[in-house]
Amino acid sequence: MPVSLLSTRTYISMGLVSIVSSALLAASFLGMIPDREGAVREGRVALAESVAASSTAILTSNDPRRLETVLRFLMKRNPDIESIGVRKLDGTVVMATAGHEQAWTAMESVHVAGAQIQVPVWAGSERWGQVEFRFKPTEASGLAGLLALPWLRLLLVCGVLCFVGFHLYLGRVLKSLDPSSAIPGRVRAALDTITEGLLVVDRQRNVVLVNQALAGLLGTTQEKLMGSPAAALDWRDAQGQPMPKADLPWNRALEDGEVQRDGRILLTDATGRQCTFVVNCSPVLGSRGKPGGALISFEDITQLEANKVELKTARDEAQAANRAKSEFLANMSHEIRTPMNAILGFTELLRRGYGKGERDSAKHLATIHNSGKHLLALINDILDLSKVEAGRMEVERIDCAPHLIVRQAVQELSANAREKGITLDWEAQGLLPSKVSSDPGRLRQIVLNLLSNAIKFTNAGGVTVLLAYDDTVAGAFYRIQVKDTGIGVPEAKIDTMFEPFTQADASITRRFGGTGLGLTISRNFARALGGDIVATSVLGQGSTFTLSFDAGRPADAVMLAPQQVKADQADGPEHAAEKWEIPSSRVLVVDDGPENRELVSLVLAEHGLWVEEAENGKVAVDKVQETAFDLILMDMQMPVMDGYEATRTLRARGVITPIVALTANAMKGYEAQVLEAGCTAYLTKPIDIDVLLAQVAALLGGTRAKAGAAAGAVTTPALDTAGTHTSREPILSKLADKPRLVPIILKFVQRLTEMVQDGRRASEQGDLEEVARIAHWLAGSAGTVGYGAFTAPARNLERLAKAGDRAGVVESMALIEDMATRVVVPVLAEPAPAK
């Protein structure tokens, strides 16, 4: 809005001064103001004429020197006379005052009004000569002469005095006429405290009152807005377009005489931010009942509008996420049921003895094994994504050989490629380092995911893996490129493949299966390793996925030529039976479940280790104080003293022995808790014997040793594939065919009966803490001795007990009691007769 630099009072004062000045000029033009300069000139002429008359009389006398005396007397008496001279008719100067001749001659060329006067002198009837008078000029030259003009000085003096007088006078008059002064000061102060903008306009739509809130918003003062047109502000409609004057709410209110409510209007504030207001306008009726003005209120809803936009965006995103997750859950229901059906179905065949021979049984077991691995991969994807979303994804940096990881992945998936009739190969491009510094586990997971996808979506042709290495100033990067000749995806949907719960085409889920999480997780892993995964694809021709990661430049790495890299393939480990060679060591197994202690003790004893047992943390602490152990396997949830307290106590006493935590709790974030307590490593129950032996060997300095037939080797399945057993099927131990483990299983079954009875009593008495303890024992122990069917129900019971869900605890406890009645107890084999 344009703002005037001068106030209304100043403008009025200047207008009045101009009127007075015009009147003075007119009076001067009409001669009504005395002309001082004219009077001076007339007096000088009269003086010159009287002197001329006297000079004629003197010149006719006999003493002409009397004239000189008279002239000098005149100069002395009249300070305006600068010089006087008497000149004969022929131009001869008879007498003159000093400097008259030169000054007279010089001033003849410059005309100055009233400065030089010459009067003729007569001798009788003939002209004798002339008397010359040189006066001081009545007018100065230049600016000084202009300012010396009497009429101009009169105008200036009158103008200044009138302006000051008018300004002071109008200040009082306008103050008494100010509409805002009609409002008491306390009311105006109250209006200024209102955060809502207020504006009052008169019939001409000019501002007559504005409160501080609106003036501050516009970055100006209330005084500057007073009297200005309200339409001069930059009002805009809801679409941000300039609002026509006819559509302004106060114009409609003044025209119609009706209240205008809840209008939307935009206005830019002093900072350049566009604000949104709800406008309410009420006409103010005058004496004749017609609107004499309007009262306008402006409610700032800028933040509310912004919140509405954000809420709409959040709602749309939430709906999209819900749709994606609903599709994901529907897909997972199918994906999980498929391997579970195979596992349960073929397990039932074997349990009922429908296998026609050892070959059929082996085939069924292979199907169960593959389905279990597939189910484990699905679960791992979901767990990995939860870690990524929770910001708990961790990677390590150790020396590893990416080309060996790729070789092993290719070998592992080569059977899948052969089944589809496609090729699967890998090759090196240029020199590659013998090892890099990265996370081998994450690299293997990424490579397996990319290869699995490539094989899944390729029906003809093949899949090729290309390895390359770039060492530049920016860093050393290892590149693994997976190229396939599969179905491909449209270029516009390439980025969509990396979004969670999403695949490039919804039909892909129905045709090929999968969680839709693999690429999301892989890209997050790649970025955590200092790189990324990018993709290119041509629909119907194939896709290329390129993994790059920071190689780290290990100091002892050597560069291998492509043929050396391929030759290194022959040195990789083969799939053969292996056994650990562990130095003789003393191990303490701490667990409140005797069958768990006995199973772990048996496995470790068969590998040459001296094993002692402790049933709780207190006993373990006492034993460690008495005997030095090389390794402690510590259950974390036990009566008397749990594993956390026992570990902290041992560490506080200076014990540096490695402590491996064993727990049935598999929730994310649990690993960090046990490590903070002082544990060296972390293993979950049911115990995977292979993982346990690998961990024990790593801590005690053991090495792998090939064994054609590892006598007495004990393994347990890594995955609990059993369901909740809601049917009335018998429940068998998967370790019942191992004679050395049968005594351990029998002890578990005996304790199971006791613990289930204790759990029922605790449930009836409302002792949920005791129920949770029993459920935790069952979740860890049952799977370890082969009764994996109890693991999921026991974990559910523990969760319900900790959540305080009494109804859920009763129902879950009843299910476990029913399952306990269906446990099949293995028969202890009779010892062979002595020969």
Side-chain angles (χ1 to χ4, degrees), residues 759-791:
R760 184 181 67 254
R761 283 195 296 270
S763 173
E764 293 172 350
Q765 296 170 3
D767 188 354
L768 299 186
E769 183 177 352
E770 177 65 13
V771 174
R773 186 190 68 80
I774 294 173
H776 184 82
W777 167 83
L778 182 58
S781 300
T784 302
V785 296
Y787 291 112
F790 284 94
T791 302

Side-chain angles (χ1 to χ4, degrees), residues 413-660:
L413 296 177
S414 58
N416 296 9
R418 285 194 300 270
E419 289 177 3
K420 297 192 69 174
I422 61 176
T423 61
L424 176 60
D425 199 4
W426 69 282
E427 61 183 61
Q429 294 182 320
L431 297 177
L432 297 178
S434 59
K435 59 183 176 181
V436 301
S437 177
S438 189
D439 189 327
R442 297 306 188 191
L443 287 179
R444 182 177 184 276
Q445 190 172 350
I446 296 172
V447 172
L448 283 174
N449 181 267
L450 296 180
L451 286 178
S452 298
N453 282 348
I455 294 172
K456 180 192 298 185
F457 299 123
T458 302
N459 296 320
V463 178
T464 304
V465 184
L466 304 176
L467 309 183
Y469 177 73
D470 297 321
D471 193 349
T472 64
V473 177
F477 289 91
Y478 206 102
R479 190 168 66 252
I480 301 175
Q481 194 173 69
V482 179
K483 305 178 71 173
D484 66 64
T485 58
I487 61 175
V489 296
E491 183 178 358
K493 294 189 176 182
I494 290 178
D495 290 338
T496 306
M497 295 187 299
F498 292 97
E499 296 178 3
F501 313 112
T502 306
Q503 291 181 329
D505 187 347
S507 63
I508 290 177
T509 300
R510 296 188 297 272
R511 292 169 58 195
F512 299 100
T515 63
L517 301 177
L519 289 178
T520 302
I521 297 168
S522 297
R523 171 171 273 186
N524 279 282
F525 284 157
R527 290 176 175 174
L529 295 174
D532 202 354
I533 296 178
V534 296
T536 59
S537 184
V538 178
L539 187 63
Q541 299 183 22
S543 305
T544 300
F545 289 82
T546 303
L547 162 67
S548 62
F549 59 92
D550 182 9
R553 296 194 185 100
D556 55 345
V558 297
M559 301 305 293
L560 304 177
Q563 58 272 23
Q564 293 175 301
V565 174
K566 295 293 285 187
D568 200 21
Q569 176 180 356
D571 298 331
E574 298 179 0
H575 294 286
E578 295 178 337
K579 186 176 181 180
W580 290 98
E581 293 182 355
I582 305 175
S584 179
S585 305
R586 185 181 292 272
V587 180
L588 176 63
V589 179
V590 188
D591 198 308
D592 62 325
E595 60 283 345
N596 289 347
R597 297 196 304 270
E598 189 170 354
L599 175 64
V600 174
S601 298
L602 176 62
V603 172
L604 297 182
E606 288 194 354
H607 284 75
L609 300 178
W610 183 273
V611 182
E612 291 193 27
E613 301 178 11
E615 61 271 22
N616 58 58
K618 179 66 170 61
V619 175
V621 170
D622 294 340
K623 286 196 173 189
V624 172
Q625 290 297 110
E626 298 172 358
T627 307
F629 291 94
D630 300 299
L631 177 65
I632 301 173
L633 302 179
M634 180 78 72
D635 184 24
M636 300 311 290
Q637 187 164 335
M638 298 176 291
V640 184
M641 179 184 289
D642 62 21
Y644 295 101
E645 185 178 354
T647 302
R648 294 191 187 98
T649 302
L650 292 175
R651 295 305 188 208
R653 295 181 180 181
V655 176
I656 61 173
T657 304
I659 301 177
V660 177

Side-chain angles (χ1 to χ4, degrees), residues 165-248:
F166 292 153
H167 201 269
L168 294 175
Y169 174 74
L170 288 173
R172 291 181 174 274
V173 173
L174 292 177
K175 184 176 181 181
S176 64
L177 297 177
D178 184 4
S180 62
S181 64
I183 302 176
R186 63 180 181 277
V187 177
R188 291 200 301 272
L191 294 178
D192 286 339
T193 62
I194 298 176
T195 58
E196 187 177 86
L198 293 176
L199 189 68
V200 177
V201 297
D202 58 17
R203 183 66 186 174
Q204 287 70 39
R205 281 71 167 174
N206 293 326
V207 177
V208 296
L209 179 66
V210 60
N211 72 339
Q212 183 58 43
L214 186 57
L217 181 73
L218 297 173
T220 184
T221 63
Q222 294 166 283
E223 290 76 13
K224 291 182 178 180
L225 288 172
M226 294 291 292
S228 61
L233 294 170
D234 186 23
W235 305 109
R236 295 181 176 269
D237 58 21
Q239 287 70 40
Q241 299 300 319
M243 181 173 284
K245 292 184 179 180
D247 294 339
L248 292 172

